Amino acid sequence: MAGMTITEKILAAHAGKDRVEPGELISASVDAVLGNDITAPLAIKEFQKTGVEHVFDPDRVILVPDHFIPNKDIKSAEQAKLVRDFARGQRLTNYFEVGRMGIEHCLLPEQGLVGPGDVVIGADSHTCTYGALGAFATGVGSTDLAAAMALGETWFKVPESIRFVYEGELPEWVGGKDLILHTIGDIGVEGALYQAMEFTGPVIENLSMDGRFTMCNMAIEAGAKNGIVPPDRTTEAYVQNRAKRPYKFYHSDGDAKYARTVNYDVSELEPVVSFPHSPDNTRFVTEADTVEIDQVVIGSCTNGRIEDLREAAKVLEGRRVHDRVRCIVIPGTQEIYLQAMEEGLIATFVKAGAAVSTPTCGPCLGGHMGILAKGERAVATTNRNFVGRMGHPESEVYLAGPAVAAASAVLGRIAHPKEVK
Amino acid sequence: MRLEGRAWKFGDNVDTDAIIPARYLNTSDPRELAEHCMEDADPEFPSKVAPGDIIVGGQNFGCGSSREHAPIAIKHAGVSCVIAKTFARIFYRNAFNIGLPILECPEACDDIKTGDRVAVEADTGRIYNLTTGKEYRAQPIPPFMQEIVAKGGLIAYVREKLQENK
Ligand code: SF4
């Protein structure tokens, strides 16, 4: 019998089985379930229809209002209130209010609410971020969330896995965002449909946790069910003082079966930009013609972590944001915000003429805090550049890592960080 | 169950921001969502779509966010069924969970044009293009999904399961 992948092992353990096969339908227990201010209101309505009075575990149902928060208008305030009232009524221990709140996928790992070996579902497609910890995590809709809030379990079809192997030396200014954009550009936005993306190889072993979060975060942009990184010493160092529950490391067997293996030599890579209107429409930044921009957004669940802010600050230090550009920096959580302040990064941003916001999804989904007008262009460290994602249907979003975003803010056009003198 | 209507054709990778832009997600009222369904892809869609009409997509329909507002907007706009070559997985689950019939059939998606009259038998997976007289067979719906549909959606399924456990 062939071995199993890390994804299969985690799913088998949560289904009470010795092994599972790709394609098999299983019912699995969940270690944590997540909803936000957009998806939770629908889930709460559905939950109430189940006739169940209490959620399966008030410590494991996590609600994070982060999308239109702080409330951007009356309607979103009503939605947020519905979530808040439910959290109070159910005595949820992990409801995060403005001032303590952060972008959900930055917040949950930071607070140790998800950990290695977990099965996590969230009514948010970027729940796949937690795969960076060596967990199985995937996005679902509100009704699936409601069912899991009642039962503490959900059903899955066990996905096949694709193994990605990254080798070589990462060049300067190339990081996790460039690796994942390059991969999506290569396999396409449906390249991993229904499958698991397992990120491996020496480059991943040397990648920081923040870089791994960025990569797993965007697995969904290739259609994947989950992204996952084998846990190691870097994972251990990250979780040991955070984890609120016991965790477990799983590893793929040497003879595990993969749908395919994809190899990349990263030594010749350059910073990557995804052009409108699809994350797989990638080019090296040096191949981009002159693209003048109006706005830069540095933040989101993809690149709103401390390392991302450090990288942006490295470029912006002692420089000025271009006259034409609005540069908006959004730390992912309060802890990240505070650390950035203590490290002097916030001062760097403000002195450069950038706006710094409280943690929120904000402009990432065209919610608030930086909506684009017709014809405007933005470089963003976010994850989607679909038509109308950040505002007017005729605006444009270019996806990039924090260094390219910061360099573009300075030069007023899409730029390589080394161009900033 | 026979569904019939006019076809509205869209391309590959129709994302959930195209189905219902996030700027309208400050509500979960199905009627309000339906008023903006597909408007960034085709501004005329919300006003011209008629009850029973069928959306025909390409690959990876419903990719992007997990918002269940997307199938809800489609369903409450009056669309009776979505046919695509493939669906993004969260959209696929959501459609079943809220009771929007969806079928995978690459051949039908290649042939059917906007404005064709199309009929669908959701349980057998047969698709008829009444304008051209052609007939297609969609991928069968997995038995587990059929069970959820037969029970009346996921929530009804959960209620039943909880009864059993008592
Ligand atoms: S930052 Fe953007 S992608 Fe991430 S959860 Fe918020 S809206 Fe979604």
Side-chain angles (χ1 to χ4, degrees):
Chain A
M1 231 187 303
M4 286 197 287
T5 66
I6 174 172
T7 295
E8 290 156 11
K9 285 186 183 178
I10 296 172
L11 287 175
H14 286 75
K17 295 181 152 215
D18 291 334
R19 63 179 291 127
V20 294
E21 304 287 341
E24 187 179 338
L25 278 169
I26 55 163
S27 187
S29 60
V30 290
D31 297 296
V33 302
L34 163 75
N36 60 47
D37 54 313
I38 289 183
T39 58
L42 274 175
I44 291 166
K45 268 193 237 168
E46 295 303 313
F47 174 80
Q48 282 157 352
K49 289 187 205 158
T50 61
V52 177
E53 270 176 45
H54 301 290
V55 299
F56 80 102
D57 184 340
D59 296 332
R60 293 169 189 252
V61 175
I62 304 166
L63 297 178
V64 186
D66 58 355
H67 279 61
F68 295 151
I69 308 292
N71 307 330
K72 73 167 179 129
D73 55 21
I74 295 171
K75 279 184 178 175
S76 48
E78 300 288 346
Q79 300 271 88
K81 183 166 184 305
L82 203 153
V83 179
R84 181 181 305 118
D85 290 347
F86 179 80
R88 287 206 185 125
Q90 294 283 332
R91 299 179 189 280
L92 301 189
T93 47
N94 292 303
Y95 165 78
F96 293 87
E97 195 52 90
V98 171
R100 280 80 79 194
M101 167 277 280
I103 299 173
E104 51 201 279
H105 309 307
C106 299
L107 188 68
L108 266 55
E110 172 197 287
Q111 296 296 318
L113 297 174
V114 292
D118 277 0
V119 167
V120 183
I121 62 166
D124 190 279
S125 60
H126 293 103
T127 301
C128 54
T129 309
Y130 319 137
L133 296 164
F136 174 86
T138 192
V140 296
S142 296
T143 302
D144 272 319
L145 171 61
M149 285 181 353
L151 299 174
E153 60 175 51
T154 193
W155 66 271
F156 296 111
K157 189 156 120 188
V158 178
E160 291 182 306
S161 295
I162 306 179
R163 178 172 45 191
F164 294 86
V165 187
Y166 300 84
E167 283 170 310
E169 281 284 319
L170 264 189
E172 204 195 353
W173 300 117
V174 177
K177 184 64 165 286
D178 306 292
L179 292 177
I180 190 64
L181 290 181
H182 182 68
T183 305
I184 296 166
D186 180 43
I187 68 170
V189 289
E190 57 195 35
L193 203 59
Y194 302 117
Q195 293 172 309
M197 296 173 86
E198 191 173 319
F199 302 113
T200 69
V203 176
I204 305 299
E205 284 159 29
N206 289 321
L207 199 64
S208 65
M209 275 317 297
D210 285 3
R212 296 177 188 185
F213 283 125
T214 303
M215 291 192 72
C216 289
N217 174 271
M218 288 194 74
I220 178 72
E221 264 58 67
K225 182 168 212 156
N226 66 310
I228 198 159
V229 172
D232 57 11
R233 267 184 304 181
T234 305
T235 322
E236 179 68 39
Y238 182 87
V239 297
Q240 61 189 3
N241 294 322
R242 300 177 190 268
K244 301 245 161 53
R245 281 184 283 111
Y247 53 88
K248 189 170 172 188
F249 283 12
Y250 291 88
H251 291 282
S252 295
D253 293 323
D255 59 347
K257 272 214 348 231
Y258 291 90
R260 61 189 175 122
T261 296
V262 183
N263 293 284
Y264 296 110
D265 183 347
V266 305
S267 309
E268 302 296 316
L269 269 191
E270 291 183 40
V272 182
V273 178
S274 290
F275 274 52
H277 289 284
S278 180
D280 64 2
N281 189 14
T282 55
R283 289 183 213 173
F284 289 142
V285 63
T286 46
E287 295 165 356
D289 304 327
T290 308
V291 179
E292 295 196 340
I293 57 163
D294 307 281
Q295 179 164 302
V296 166
V297 174
I298 298 170
S300 85
C301 60
T302 318
N303 284 116
R305 299 187 181 79
I306 191 68
E307 242 182 49
D308 303 313
L309 300 186
R310 283 186 195 132
E311 200 165 298
K314 201 157 88 183
V315 177
L316 286 168
E317 172 79 59
R319 301 196 169 87
R320 291 287 299 170
V321 169
H322 192 278
D323 280 349
R324 198 185 341 102
V325 176
R326 293 110 47 187
C327 180
I328 302 164
V329 182
I330 310 176
T333 66
Q334 292 288 81
E335 192 177 303
I336 296 167
Y337 198 158
L338 191 58
Q339 191 171 349
M341 204 176 281
E342 285 166 0
E343 290 182 20
L345 311 180
I346 302 293
T348 300
F349 297 137
V350 173
K351 283 184 196 156
V356 182
S357 157
T358 192
T360 178
C361 295
C364 171
L365 80 162
H368 58 150
M369 296 294 296
I371 305 303
L372 300 175
K374 184 174 174 175
E376 288 192 324
R377 295 196 192 104
V379 172
T381 66
T382 56
N383 45 46
R384 290 192 177 132
N385 55 353
F386 302 150
V387 171
R389 175 78 180 176
M390 201 175 277
H392 194 280
E394 284 169 51
S395 61
E396 294 180 347
V397 177
Y398 296 75
L399 305 175
V404 169
S408 306
V410 172
L411 294 174
R413 60 173 170 82
I414 293 180
H416 193 297
K418 72 184 179 202
E419 290 179 75
V420 178
K421 301 263 160 38
Chain B
M1 188 175 43
R2 188 177 159 101
L3 312 164
E4 188 181 322
R6 207 170 153 258
W8 292 80
K9 183 111 178 238
F10 296 92
D12 289 341
N13 304 312
V14 171
D15 59 74
T16 53
D17 280 277
I19 298 170
I20 182 75
R23 57 184 180 274
Y24 303 120
L25 297 185
N26 54 4
T27 177
S28 46
D29 176 2
R31 274 168 316 175
E32 257 182 81
L33 295 170
E35 279 168 27
H36 302 290
C37 182
M38 303 300 278
E39 75 174 26
D40 286 357
D42 179 351
E44 302 209 307
F45 184 86
S47 58
K48 296 215 168 142
V49 65
D53 281 2
I54 289 171
I55 288 180
V56 180
Q59 303 276 8
N60 201 22
F61 187 93
C63 60
S65 100
S66 68
R67 62 189 72 155
E68 207 160 284
H69 311 65
I72 290 174
I74 291 176
K75 187 176 170 190
H76 288 269
V79 171
S80 64
C81 175
V82 182
I83 307 169
K85 292 184 180 174
T86 53
F87 288 93
R89 60 161 284 277
I90 306 177
F91 185 92
Y92 187 86
R93 281 179 87 116
N94 287 348
F96 277 100
N97 288 347
I98 66 137
L100 171 71
I102 57 173
L103 292 172
E104 289 184 333
C105 185
E107 305 78 39
C109 295
D110 282 335
D111 284 5
I112 295 172
K113 296 190 177 53
T114 290
D116 287 356
R117 278 212 78 78
V118 175
V120 168
E121 284 170 15
D123 29 5
T124 62
R126 283 181 195 278
I127 301 168
Y128 307 92
N129 186 336
L130 304 175
T131 304
T132 62
K134 279 203 183 167
E135 189 183 324
Y136 311 90
R137 206 162 234 220
Q139 301 287 331
I141 296 168
F144 177 69
M145 307 302 273
Q146 284 182 18
E147 197 187 330
I148 289 182
V149 174
K151 295 236 159 76
L154 183 67
I155 294 301
Y157 176 86
V158 169
R159 291 180 73 110
E160 190 156 310
K161 187 149 184 167
L162 289 164
Q163 285 301 329
E164 280 168 20
N165 292 353
K166 267 189 189 149

